[in-house]
Amino acid sequence: MALYVDPAVKAQQATRHDVCVIGRHEKHGYLLLLNCRAEGKEFRLPSRKFEHPEIGGDEYYKEARVQASREMRKRTGLSLAPGRFNRIYFPAQVQKRLRNRVFFEVSLYDHDSLSLGETAMTGEQDFWIQLEEIDGFTFHQDLRHAANALRGTSRTMAHALLATEAVYRETCCFGGIFMKMAEKVWGICGWP
């Protein structure tokens, strides 16, 4: 028996999309935000909803990239230009399961850390951010440990994080070939 969904609600859901950010520091690993609840700790990736009339197209991904930058600014205080956010291209079977979620990866460096002395700051491993609506943050060096931490809060985010290993791992035949081809195209044409 199918669950009835009001057509107005269904139309609204079709225009609401999620943007998620996988932040990875060059030395410390994957950035996870932390909420302390009565049930225990909840780890999550920076993410937010945004409105757009359709999935796909240049305007859609441009808006998603801007929203990813805004979410990092809101949650962490880090001002990162939208151009630093790289869309993660998942295989079709993975993207189908992610539905209307777009994932971006952003590289974090020591110079991205906020300066000491700003208000409401917290730091780990000499990396400082300004938290809003979040209780803390942590870095996980290992991809699988980061995914396991996310699994309790969001299996979708955990699976997406794990899927990045197959997409970008050079030892994986498809991922390695894809990355090598992208490097060649970038070298020849000057665009990723």
Side-chain angles (χ1 to χ4, degrees):
M1 183 171 162
L3 180 68
Y4 173 76
V5 178
D6 184 278
V9 172
K10 196 173 190 178
Q12 182 184 19
Q13 289 174 344
T15 63
R16 294 201 77 183
H17 310 279
D18 292 318
V19 62
C20 304
V21 179
I22 297 174
R24 192 167 149 251
H25 190 277
E26 60 183 340
K27 293 183 289 192
H28 308 311
Y30 295 91
L31 172 70
L32 299 181
L33 302 178
L34 171 67
N35 283 332
C36 295
R37 305 276 186 227
E39 304 85 37
K41 294 180 179 179
E42 289 183 350
F43 292 98
R44 65 184 205 73
L45 297 173
S47 64
R48 77 180 319 166
K49 295 196 177 298
F50 71 101
E51 296 281 335
H52 200 274
E54 61 187 40
I55 294 177
D58 291 340
E59 289 300 315
Y60 173 77
Y61 292 113
K62 183 179 178 183
E63 178 63 22
R65 181 174 277 114
V66 168
Q67 294 298 327
S69 176
R70 286 181 183 162
E71 179 63 9
M72 283 296 281
R73 173 76 175 138
K74 179 180 179 184
R75 299 287 180 211
T76 65
L78 300 176
S79 292
L80 306 174
R84 287 186 54 187
F85 292 80
N86 299 310
R87 182 172 153 230
I88 300 173
Y89 294 91
F90 291 109
Q93 63 192 26
V94 174
Q95 189 60 54
K96 185 177 179 181
R97 294 182 73 193
L98 296 174
R99 292 185 296 262
N100 61 347
R101 291 181 181 93
V102 182
F103 282 80
F104 287 91
E105 183 177 45
V106 64
S107 295
L108 301 173
Y109 303 98
D110 286 338
H111 67 268
D112 292 325
S113 176
L114 297 178
S115 301
L116 291 176
E118 295 187 37
T119 61
M121 290 183 50
T122 185
E124 181 177 301
Q125 301 172 350
D126 293 326
F127 192 84
W128 296 87
I129 64 176
Q130 186 174 358
L131 299 172
E132 183 176 315
E133 300 174 10
I134 301 295
D135 296 324
F137 77 100
T138 187
F139 285 108
H140 281 270
Q141 189 72 14
D142 183 63
L143 174 79
R144 294 192 179 274
H145 288 158
N148 282 335
L150 288 171
R151 199 174 303 270
T153 307
S154 173
R155 287 191 178 279
T156 302
M157 287 185 182
H159 290 308
L161 187 59
L162 282 174
T164 63
E165 180 181 42
V167 172
Y168 296 113
R169 182 179 46 175
E170 288 198 22
T171 57
C172 171
C173 56
F174 175 72
I177 291 170
F178 180 74
M179 291 305 291
K180 297 281 188 220
M181 286 180 6
E183 288 170 3
K184 283 188 181 257
V185 168
W186 187 44
I188 294 169
C189 301
W191 54 270

